[in-house]
């Protein structure tokens, strides 16, 4: 007889299955672990604000399986999570990221950052991202803004004018987070519907990182220079911070805080001639009233965040062991008085770069006068991290530590 009967086929398949099972057992086959199939998931918090209700909103990005999604998260003064929302890119795109969020007078929020979009026929260029968000985290509108034929646009901060328009500061240039090989500082003016009213590009400066309202209704802007502009983007005065032998780390490292009716504190990180934190106290006219430098005891400054407490400065900063081959990060918080004298300094975290390093750590003065710091905490053996809130008293002692996400 040619061929096999049904019974013979059944016996053949049974023997084949038994052979496969025995072979797998002999080869030490095991069930795949969760880690082997777990996609990378990292939360990066870039800024935090205090709301009118004395809660806190974090803005940042969630990197998940190759996609960067903007996120906002609200928590209360005890570290309890109230809500979190993610804002993914559209289909066939990969990036939406929030650097800053601000509370508007009508109760809504505006978040700014960058996003991948389609421009002049090219997919994948980055535009300045601005999104209007309601009080519950629902997106009202979102726009990307492009200038000329440039491919890298980043919005670093935003403020509201007296008539409800938005002033957005950032930079435009080549793709990347550092201004290399070139970038220009950029200011946009938008109406409340997100339509662009005007723009101004500053070719002498590579980035504007921060903006605050001044006491006279204008705006103080900080980056590779400090400037004062009106609501029509006219420059009232400007104070260059860079020179032939002085360079500023921009792209989010410059911070501005208003300390009184007519005074402001600006913190920058210089990488030439050496890696230091410089604190400037300036008046309404752009005069430098005082300046102080702070260095790491070992290694060099990588980044810094600023808060003010009356006439005192509170600085959170990261030291790295080697700027050309960094292997270890240390996170400190220090308090200095108005004359620049260090009142106290505390080591908060120390971490090897291969274990995740310390990159994002927004910092804010809490409603009760203490301080809250947001930190990325790697999960050992996992391709993901947690967001943790740490509350300190005014002497730098930890009051509590709470996990926010996931």
């Amino acid at each position: 007889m040619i061929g096999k009967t049904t019974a013979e086929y059944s016996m053949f398949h049974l023997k084949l299955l038994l052979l496969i099972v025995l072979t797998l057992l002999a080869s030490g086959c095991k069930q795949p672990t969760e880690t082997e199939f777990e996609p990378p998931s990292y939360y990066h918090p870039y800024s935090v604000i205090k709301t009118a209700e004395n809660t806190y909103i974090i803005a940042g990005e969630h990197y998940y399986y190759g996609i960067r999604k903007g996120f906002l998260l609200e928590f209360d003064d005890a570290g309890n999570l109230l809500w979190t929302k993610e804002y993914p890119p559209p289909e066939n795109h990969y990036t939406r990221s929030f650097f800053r969020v601000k509370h508007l007078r009508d109760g809504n929020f505006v978040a700014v950052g960058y996003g991948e979009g389609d421009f002049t026929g090219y997919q994948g260029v980055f535009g300045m991202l601005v999104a209007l968000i309601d009080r519950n985290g629902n997106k009202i509108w979102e726009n990307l803004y492009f200038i000329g034929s440039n491919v890298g646009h980043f919005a670093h901060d935003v403020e509201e004018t007296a008539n409800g328009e938005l002033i957005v500061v950032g930079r435009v240039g080549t793709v990347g987070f550092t201004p290399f090989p070139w970038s220009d500082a950029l200011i946009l003016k938008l109406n409340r519907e997100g339509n662009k009213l005007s723009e101004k590009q500053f070719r002498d400066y590579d980035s504007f990182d921060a903006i605050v309202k001044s006491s006279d209704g204008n705006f103080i802007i900080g980056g590779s220079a400090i400037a004062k502009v009106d609501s029509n983007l006219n420059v009232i005065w400007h104070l260059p911070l860079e020179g032939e032998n002085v360079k500023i780390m921009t792209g989010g490292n410059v911070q501005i805080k208003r300390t009184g009716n007519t005074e402001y504190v600006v913190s920058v990180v210089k990488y030439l001639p050496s890696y230091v934190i410089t604190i400037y106290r300036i008046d309404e006219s752009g005069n430098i009233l005082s300046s102080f430098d702070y260095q790491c005891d070992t290694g060099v400054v990588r980044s810094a965040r600023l808060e003010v407490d009356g006439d005192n400065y509170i600085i959170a900063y990261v030291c790295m062991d080697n700027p050309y081959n960094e292997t270890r990060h240390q996170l400190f918080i220090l308090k200095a008085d108005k004359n620049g004298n260090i009142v106290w300094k505390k080591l908060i975290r120390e971490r090897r770069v291969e274990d995740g390093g310390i990159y994002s750590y927004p910092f804010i003065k809490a409603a009760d006068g203490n301080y809250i710091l947001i930190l990325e905490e790697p999960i050992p053996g996992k391709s993901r991290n947690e967001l943790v809130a740490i509350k300190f008293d005014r002497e730098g002692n930890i009051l509590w530590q709470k996990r926010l996400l996931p």
Side-chain angles (χ1 to χ4, degrees):
M1 183 192 319
I2 299 174
K4 295 183 173 68
T5 65
T6 301
E8 288 173 322
Y9 268 116
S10 299
M11 183 59 66
F12 171 76
H13 288 145
L14 181 61
K15 290 179 179 178
L16 180 60
L17 178 60
L18 182 60
L19 178 62
I20 291 173
V21 171
L22 291 173
T23 302
L24 290 175
L25 289 174
S27 64
C29 178
K30 63 181 185 302
Q31 287 290 329
T33 66
E34 178 187 356
T35 304
E36 290 177 279
F37 283 93
E38 186 177 47
S41 176
Y42 295 100
Y43 291 94
H44 303 301
Y46 293 128
S47 64
V48 59
I49 63 168
K50 182 168 66 68
T51 71
E53 297 88 1
N54 289 331
T55 60
Y56 306 90
I57 304 284
I58 300 171
E61 72 173 30
H62 179 201
Y63 177 84
Y64 181 78
Y65 217 17
I67 304 293
R68 298 181 187 275
K69 300 178 284 186
F71 80 86
L72 298 178
L73 178 154
E74 183 173 16
F75 66 98
D76 65 19
D77 203 50
N80 300 306
L81 177 66
L82 301 179
W83 57 260
T84 183
K85 293 282 182 74
E86 294 192 347
Y87 308 86
E91 188 176 0
N92 298 322
H93 293 78
Y94 302 95
T95 301
R96 289 292 186 273
S97 182
F98 292 148
F99 287 149
R100 290 285 196 280
V101 61
K102 289 288 178 71
H103 202 178
L104 304 177
R105 289 192 301 272
D106 64 4
N108 293 321
F109 298 97
V110 58
V112 300
Y114 75 104
E116 178 202 10
D118 299 327
F119 181 59
T120 62
Y122 296 95
Q123 181 177 330
V125 300
F126 289 147
M128 295 180 90
L129 172 64
V130 181
L132 187 67
I133 311 291
D134 73 16
R135 186 61 187 84
N136 297 313
N138 301 304
K139 184 169 63 178
I140 299 172
W141 56 255
E142 170 194 295
N143 285 328
L144 293 177
Y145 301 90
F146 303 91
I147 307 300
S149 59
N150 301 294
V151 296
H153 309 75
F154 301 86
H156 292 304
D157 204 353
V158 61
E159 269 293 355
E160 182 181 17
T161 68
N163 61 0
E165 295 168 339
L166 303 173
I167 307 293
V168 183
V169 300
R171 65 183 177 91
V172 56
T174 52
V175 174
F177 288 94
T178 56
F180 179 83
W182 72 269
S183 68
D184 293 336
L186 181 66
I187 308 178
L188 299 183
K189 183 179 180 180
L190 311 175
N191 66 16
R192 204 43 167 263
E193 289 70 44
N195 300 307
K196 185 169 66 175
L197 302 176
S198 59
E199 66 187 55
K200 184 164 285 190
Q201 196 166 339
F202 296 79
R203 298 193 180 278
D204 291 336
Y205 308 119
D206 53 34
S207 181
F208 285 143
D209 289 7
I211 179 172
V212 297
K213 295 176 184 175
S214 60
S215 60
D216 56 6
N218 295 304
F219 302 91
I220 307 294
I221 298 173
S224 51
I226 306 172
K228 187 176 187 178
V229 302
D230 64 22
S231 59
N232 294 315
L233 310 189
N234 299 307
V235 177
I236 300 170
W237 54 256
H238 69 100
L239 177 65
L241 297 180
E242 292 190 321
E244 183 177 354
N245 298 312
V246 178
K247 296 297 180 184
I248 304 295
M249 284 188 189
T250 54
N253 265 307
V254 179
Q255 313 269 300
I256 304 177
K257 302 293 180 181
R258 183 171 163 182
T259 62
N261 289 332
T262 59
E263 290 188 5
Y264 307 85
V265 176
V266 182
S267 72
V268 303
V269 176
K270 298 175 181 176
Y271 63 96
L272 281 178
S274 59
Y275 290 77
V276 299
I277 305 164
T278 299
I279 302 296
Y280 297 98
R281 184 182 285 265
I282 65 171
D283 64 16
E284 196 74 69
S285 299
N287 301 304
I288 296 178
L289 305 177
S290 59
S291 66
F292 310 101
D293 288 346
Y294 301 94
Q295 299 182 352
C296 296
D297 294 331
T298 59
V300 297
V301 177
R302 190 183 197 281
S303 57
R305 301 292 180 263
L306 171 72
E307 263 298 343
V308 293
D309 186 358
D311 287 333
N312 299 311
Y313 314 123
I314 313 298
I315 307 169
Y317 63 100
V318 168
C319 296
M320 56 183 171
D321 54 343
N322 187 329
Y324 305 104
N325 183 27
E326 51 188 312
T327 63
R328 188 186 76 256
H329 292 165
Q330 293 177 305
L331 173 62
F332 293 90
I333 295 181
L334 71 78
K335 181 177 184 178
D337 64 23
K338 186 176 182 178
N339 297 314
N341 302 305
I342 295 177
V343 179
W344 51 257
K345 181 172 70 172
K346 300 288 180 74
L347 174 64
I348 305 303
R349 287 288 191 278
E350 184 169 7
R351 190 178 297 146
R352 297 184 303 173
V353 171
E354 66 182 74
D355 294 329
I358 304 171
Y359 297 97
S360 300
Y361 51 99
F363 182 55
I364 194 168
K365 185 177 179 179
D368 59 6
N370 294 308
Y371 315 107
I372 295 177
L373 181 141
I374 311 300
L375 195 59
E376 306 173 57
E377 294 280 34
I379 300 175
K382 302 286 187 178
S383 298
R384 54 191 175 95
N385 67 359
E386 297 177 335
L387 278 193
V388 173
I390 307 173
K391 192 168 189 178
F392 304 85
D393 67 19
R394 299 178 74 177
E395 302 304 317
N397 303 303
I398 294 178
L399 300 175
W400 53 252
Q401 178 172 309
K402 302 286 184 68
R403 180 172 64 88
L404 299 174
L405 284 177

